[in-house]
Amino acid sequence: MRLLAFLAPASRHPASGNNDRLSTPWREVISVAEVARSLSKAWSSRNLRFRYRHAEHHGKIEAVGRYAKQRCNRNRRAMGTLTLQSGETLAAADHPAPARSSYRRLRCGGAPIGLLFALALAGCDVNAQSQAPPPPSVTVEQPVKRTVTDWDEFTGRFEAIEEVQVRARVGGFINSVEFKDGAIVHAGDLLYTVDPRPFDAVALQAEGQLADARAKAELAKRELERGLTLVQTSAVSEQVVDQRRQALQAAHAAETQAEGTLKAAQLNVEFTHVLAPLTGRVSRHLVSPGNLVQGSDTGTSTLLTSIVTLDPIYIYFDVDEATYQRNSKLWFEGKRPSSRDTSNPVQVTLTGETKPSHEGKMDFLDNRLDISTATLRSRAIVPNKDLSILPGQFGRVRIIGSSPYEALLIPDAAIATDQSRKIVFVVRAGNTVEARPVVLGPLDEGLRVIREGLKPEDHVIVDGLQRARVGAKVAPKMAQAPAAGKAPAVPADKALAGDKPAAGAKP
């Protein structure tokens, strides 16, 4: 129950005549009952005294206040405002503005003691004052402590270990294409056939020339044998024997030349069948059957298709000069093996992936830095058993950047930015929020390494950052463990006070 009273001091102003003027402030602590009694004594109204006695008899003092309010509203006497609770006392407030009154001066005991004008507004309000809102709820978590290894990340591009361009070695018309575009082909598989008939004719001609050369060589051999027999009886001269010996050698030379011509013709016949030189994935056919292709050994022959190997596969990337200097320093200190001498492990993350999906090893470091980019060309070899990686793809390469060390890790979502620095919100022992600047490290399995600024026992806000205010109180709850058999989230104030967190909560 609330009583809204208008209270003001009353004294007669010398220049006001019969009108009363409120001037000197008057203060007195009064209760609700005293307000009603003062009104009953001060005002001679029979109705007011009757209402007071009736209200006092029935225990409803606020009825007098309602009647007083009606009287004062008719006389326009609203001087000051107070709120009186039932059973409480309040002091009348000063009212700075003067006001005139049409009431007569009230006297008590024959002497003016000050006038009390009250206007009470009766009303029932069980909630006398609004309750303060509870502190916001946030989820906290202690940093995870484990052994981590720093990794340096670079952007690389995959390239095939072997790549060939299939070209025609002899000219002619294409008879057929014997492969499916984009298929996996094996070494020795037939890809194209060129019209072999002209080359068969040349080979047949070469065979005839070889037979002729062999016949001439045989004749020259027999003539030489007869000459050697006749020279013993002086039937022929030595000059004739020498001529026949030279003829035999020329016949052997012609035979050898005819054999070479035949082999060349046979090779041309063989080249009319274009075979895959290695195992890999073939591209599309660039020449359709019926088209004329040019064959040459000087690079001007017609390109038919290309083949690349897929398993394993190279990935090339460029290491910046600062990283190279740091890794070299670690190698000199014995904290990191050199990739020139050791096949250091690498991890590869493909485009669209959030974590590494392939592992490989270092294979090559260039002998100098590129003067235009100040980077060192590096290469790793990656197994590709499922043939899912194709040459030309991009990937993120991670190589070892430090020796293993102990570190604190928190979720990346718990980190906020304050202009040029990174901060986290920590709940202290009194459940108050503190902003803690931190030095960040790399990501490790989805968690951010914190190099400086946190302690293992700190409770970091990981959810509800928008409700946290520095210096304000919060209602912390420990985060649930991600494993099966989660424990329900419990208030963290017990843990902050020294109790152990519930089972299943993160350390």
Side-chain angles (χ1 to χ4, degrees), residues 8-39:
S11 62
R12 185 170 182 177
H13 197 277
S16 61
N18 294 330
N19 294 333
D20 294 330
R21 189 177 185 84
L22 302 178
S23 58
T24 305
W26 174 80
R27 295 176 180 272
E28 181 179 4
V29 178
I30 58 176
S31 66
V32 177
E34 289 173 344
V35 171
R37 292 190 182 94
S38 299
L39 291 172

CSV table of all heavy atoms in Angstrom, one decimal, residues 8-39:
chain,number,residue,atom,x,y,z
A,8,ALA,N,3.8,20.5,2.4
A,8,ALA,CA,4.5,21.8,2.3
A,8,ALA,C,4.4,22.6,3.6
A,8,ALA,O,3.4,22.4,4.3
A,8,ALA,CB,3.9,22.6,1.2
A,9,PRO,N,5.4,23.4,4.0
A,9,PRO,CA,5.2,24.2,5.2
A,9,PRO,C,4.2,25.4,4.9
A,9,PRO,O,4.0,25.8,3.8
A,9,PRO,CB,6.6,24.8,5.4
A,9,PRO,CG,7.2,24.8,4.0
A,9,PRO,CD,6.6,23.6,3.3
A,10,ALA,N,3.6,25.8,6.0
A,10,ALA,CA,2.6,26.9,5.8
A,10,ALA,C,2.8,27.9,6.9
A,10,ALA,O,2.9,27.6,8.1
A,10,ALA,CB,1.2,26.3,6.0
A,11,SER,N,2.9,29.2,6.5
A,11,SER,CA,3.0,30.3,7.4
A,11,SER,C,2.4,31.5,6.7
A,11,SER,O,2.5,31.6,5.5
A,11,SER,CB,4.5,30.6,7.8
A,11,SER,OG,5.2,30.9,6.7
A,12,ARG,N,2.0,32.4,7.4
A,12,ARG,CA,1.3,33.6,6.8
A,12,ARG,C,2.3,34.6,6.3
A,12,ARG,O,3.3,34.9,7.0
A,12,ARG,CB,0.4,34.3,7.9
A,12,ARG,CG,-0.4,35.4,7.3
A,12,ARG,CD,-1.4,35.9,8.2
A,12,ARG,NE,-2.2,36.9,7.7
A,12,ARG,CZ,-3.2,37.5,8.3
A,12,ARG,NH1,-3.6,37.1,9.5
A,12,ARG,NH2,-3.9,38.5,7.7
A,13,HIS,N,2.2,34.9,5.1
A,13,HIS,CA,3.1,35.9,4.5
A,13,HIS,C,2.6,37.3,4.9
A,13,HIS,O,1.4,37.6,4.8
A,13,HIS,CB,3.1,35.7,2.9
A,13,HIS,CG,4.2,36.4,2.3
A,13,HIS,ND1,4.3,37.8,2.0
A,13,HIS,CD2,5.4,35.9,1.9
A,13,HIS,CE1,5.4,38.1,1.5
A,13,HIS,NE2,6.1,36.9,1.4
A,14,PRO,N,3.5,38.2,5.3
A,14,PRO,CA,3.0,39.5,5.7
A,14,PRO,C,2.3,40.3,4.7
A,14,PRO,O,1.4,41.1,5.0
A,14,PRO,CB,4.4,40.2,6.1
A,14,PRO,CG,5.4,39.1,6.2
A,14,PRO,CD,4.9,38.0,5.4
A,15,ALA,N,2.6,40.1,3.4
A,15,ALA,CA,1.9,40.9,2.4
A,15,ALA,C,0.8,40.3,1.7
A,15,ALA,O,0.3,40.7,0.7
A,15,ALA,CB,3.0,41.4,1.4
A,16,SER,N,0.4,39.2,2.2
A,16,SER,CA,-0.6,38.4,1.5
A,16,SER,C,-2.1,38.7,2.0
A,16,SER,O,-3.0,38.2,1.4
A,16,SER,CB,-0.3,36.9,1.6
A,16,SER,OG,-0.3,36.5,2.9
A,17,GLY,N,-2.2,39.4,3.1
A,17,GLY,CA,-3.6,39.6,3.6
A,17,GLY,C,-4.1,38.3,4.2
A,17,GLY,O,-3.5,37.6,5.0
A,18,ASN,N,-5.4,38.0,3.8
A,18,ASN,CA,-6.0,36.8,4.2
A,18,ASN,C,-5.4,35.5,3.6
A,18,ASN,O,-5.6,34.4,4.1
A,18,ASN,CB,-7.5,36.8,3.9
A,18,ASN,CG,-8.2,37.9,4.7
A,18,ASN,OD1,-7.7,38.2,5.8
A,18,ASN,ND2,-9.2,38.5,4.2
A,19,ASN,N,-4.7,35.7,2.5
A,19,ASN,CA,-4.2,34.5,1.8
A,19,ASN,C,-2.9,34.1,2.5
A,19,ASN,O,-2.1,34.9,2.9
A,19,ASN,CB,-3.9,34.8,0.3
A,19,ASN,CG,-5.2,35.0,-0.5
A,19,ASN,OD1,-6.2,34.5,-0.1
A,19,ASN,ND2,-5.0,35.9,-1.5
A,20,ASP,N,-2.7,32.8,2.5
A,20,ASP,CA,-1.5,32.2,3.1
A,20,ASP,C,-0.5,32.0,2.0
A,20,ASP,O,-0.8,31.5,0.9
A,20,ASP,CB,-1.8,30.9,3.8
A,20,ASP,CG,-2.7,31.1,5.0
A,20,ASP,OD1,-2.6,32.2,5.6
A,20,ASP,OD2,-3.5,30.2,5.4
A,21,ARG,N,0.8,32.2,2.3
A,21,ARG,CA,1.9,32.0,1.3
A,21,ARG,C,2.9,31.0,1.9
A,21,ARG,O,3.3,31.3,3.1
A,21,ARG,CB,2.5,33.3,0.9
A,21,ARG,CG,3.5,33.1,-0.2
A,21,ARG,CD,4.0,34.5,-0.6
A,21,ARG,NE,4.9,34.5,-1.8
A,21,ARG,CZ,4.4,34.5,-3.0
A,21,ARG,NH1,3.1,34.6,-3.2
A,21,ARG,NH2,5.2,34.5,-4.0
A,22,LEU,N,3.3,30.0,1.2
A,22,LEU,CA,4.3,29.0,1.7
A,22,LEU,C,5.6,29.6,1.4
A,22,LEU,O,6.0,30.0,0.3
A,22,LEU,CB,4.1,27.7,0.9
A,22,LEU,CG,2.7,27.1,1.0
A,22,LEU,CD1,2.7,25.8,0.2
A,22,LEU,CD2,2.4,26.8,2.5
A,23,SER,N,6.4,29.7,2.5
A,23,SER,CA,7.7,30.3,2.3
A,23,SER,C,8.8,29.5,3.0
A,23,SER,O,9.6,28.8,2.3
A,23,SER,CB,7.7,31.7,2.9
A,23,SER,OG,7.3,31.7,4.2
A,24,THR,N,8.9,29.5,4.3
A,24,THR,CA,10.0,28.9,5.0
A,24,THR,C,9.9,27.4,5.0
A,24,THR,O,8.8,26.8,5.3
A,24,THR,CB,10.0,29.3,6.5
A,24,THR,OG1,10.1,30.8,6.5
A,24,THR,CG2,11.2,28.8,7.2
A,25,PRO,N,10.9,26.7,4.6
A,25,PRO,CA,10.8,25.2,4.6
A,25,PRO,C,10.6,24.6,6.0
A,25,PRO,O,11.2,25.1,6.9
A,25,PRO,CB,12.2,24.7,4.0
A,25,PRO,CG,12.7,25.9,3.3
A,25,PRO,CD,12.2,27.1,4.1
A,26,TRP,N,9.8,23.6,6.0
A,26,TRP,CA,9.5,22.9,7.3
A,26,TRP,C,9.5,21.4,7.1
A,26,TRP,O,9.0,20.9,6.2
A,26,TRP,CB,8.0,23.3,7.7
A,26,TRP,CG,7.6,22.6,9.0
A,26,TRP,CD1,7.9,22.9,10.2
A,26,TRP,CD2,6.7,21.5,9.0
A,26,TRP,NE1,7.3,22.0,11.1
A,26,TRP,CE2,6.5,21.1,10.3
A,26,TRP,CE3,6.0,20.8,8.0
A,26,TRP,CZ2,5.7,20.1,10.7
A,26,TRP,CZ3,5.2,19.7,8.4
A,26,TRP,CH2,5.1,19.4,9.8
A,27,ARG,N,10.3,20.8,7.9
A,27,ARG,CA,10.6,19.3,7.8
A,27,ARG,C,10.1,18.7,9.1
A,27,ARG,O,10.4,19.1,10.2
A,27,ARG,CB,12.0,19.0,7.6
A,27,ARG,CG,12.6,19.6,6.2
A,27,ARG,CD,14.0,19.3,6.2
A,27,ARG,NE,14.6,19.8,4.9
A,27,ARG,CZ,14.6,19.1,3.8
A,27,ARG,NH1,14.1,17.9,3.7
A,27,ARG,NH2,15.1,19.6,2.7
A,28,GLU,N,9.5,17.6,8.9
A,28,GLU,CA,9.1,16.7,10.1
A,28,GLU,C,8.9,15.3,9.6
A,28,GLU,O,8.2,15.1,8.6
A,28,GLU,CB,7.9,17.3,10.8
A,28,GLU,CG,7.5,16.5,12.0
A,28,GLU,CD,6.3,17.1,12.7
A,28,GLU,OE1,5.7,18.0,12.1
A,28,GLU,OE2,5.9,16.5,13.7
A,29,VAL,N,9.4,14.4,10.3
A,29,VAL,CA,9.2,13.0,9.9
A,29,VAL,C,7.9,12.5,10.5
A,29,VAL,O,7.6,12.7,11.7
A,29,VAL,CB,10.3,12.1,10.5
A,29,VAL,CG1,10.1,10.6,10.2
A,29,VAL,CG2,11.7,12.5,9.9
A,30,ILE,N,7.0,12.1,9.6
A,30,ILE,CA,5.7,11.7,10.0
A,30,ILE,C,5.3,10.3,9.5
A,30,ILE,O,6.0,9.8,8.5
A,30,ILE,CB,4.6,12.7,9.5
A,30,ILE,CG1,4.7,12.8,8.0
A,30,ILE,CG2,4.8,14.1,10.2
A,30,ILE,CD1,3.7,13.7,7.4
A,31,SER,N,4.4,9.7,10.0
A,31,SER,CA,3.9,8.4,9.6
A,31,SER,C,2.5,8.6,8.9
A,31,SER,O,1.9,9.7,8.9
A,31,SER,CB,3.7,7.4,10.7
A,31,SER,OG,2.7,7.9,11.6
A,32,VAL,N,2.0,7.5,8.3
A,32,VAL,CA,0.7,7.6,7.7
A,32,VAL,C,-0.4,8.0,8.6
A,32,VAL,O,-1.3,8.8,8.4
A,32,VAL,CB,0.4,6.3,7.0
A,32,VAL,CG1,-1.0,6.3,6.3
A,32,VAL,CG2,1.5,6.0,5.9
A,33,ALA,N,-0.4,7.4,9.8
A,33,ALA,CA,-1.4,7.7,10.8
A,33,ALA,C,-1.3,9.1,11.3
A,33,ALA,O,-2.3,9.8,11.5
A,33,ALA,CB,-1.3,6.7,12.0
A,34,GLU,N,-0.1,9.6,11.4
A,34,GLU,CA,0.1,11.0,11.9
A,34,GLU,C,-0.5,12.0,10.8
A,34,GLU,O,-1.0,13.1,11.1
A,34,GLU,CB,1.5,11.3,12.2
A,34,GLU,CG,2.0,10.6,13.4
A,34,GLU,CD,3.5,10.7,13.6
A,34,GLU,OE1,4.2,11.2,12.7
A,34,GLU,OE2,4.0,10.5,14.7
A,35,VAL,N,-0.3,11.7,9.5
A,35,VAL,CA,-0.9,12.5,8.5
A,35,VAL,C,-2.4,12.6,8.7
A,35,VAL,O,-3.0,13.7,8.6
A,35,VAL,CB,-0.5,12.0,7.1
A,35,VAL,CG1,-1.3,12.7,6.0
A,35,VAL,CG2,1.0,12.1,6.9
A,36,ALA,N,-3.0,11.5,8.9
A,36,ALA,CA,-4.5,11.5,9.0
A,36,ALA,C,-4.9,12.3,10.3
A,36,ALA,O,-5.9,13.1,10.2
A,36,ALA,CB,-5.0,10.1,9.0
A,37,ARG,N,-4.2,12.1,11.4
A,37,ARG,CA,-4.6,12.8,12.6
A,37,ARG,C,-4.4,14.3,12.5
A,37,ARG,O,-5.2,15.1,12.9
A,37,ARG,CB,-3.7,12.3,13.8
A,37,ARG,CG,-4.1,10.8,14.1
A,37,ARG,CD,-3.4,10.4,15.5
A,37,ARG,NE,-3.7,9.1,15.8
A,37,ARG,CZ,-2.9,8.0,15.5
A,37,ARG,NH1,-1.7,8.3,14.8
A,37,ARG,NH2,-3.2,6.8,15.8
A,38,SER,N,-3.3,14.7,11.8
A,38,SER,CA,-3.1,16.1,11.6
A,38,SER,C,-4.1,16.8,10.8
A,38,SER,O,-4.6,17.9,11.0
A,38,SER,CB,-1.7,16.4,10.9
A,38,SER,OG,-0.7,15.9,11.8
A,39,LEU,N,-4.6,16.0,9.7
A,39,LEU,CA,-5.7,16.5,8.9
A,39,LEU,C,-6.9,16.7,9.7
A,39,LEU,O,-7.7,17.6,9.6
A,39,LEU,CB,-5.9,15.6,7.7
A,39,LEU,CG,-4.8,15.6,6.6
A,39,LEU,CD1,-5.1,14.5,5.6
A,39,LEU,CD2,-4.7,17.0,6.0
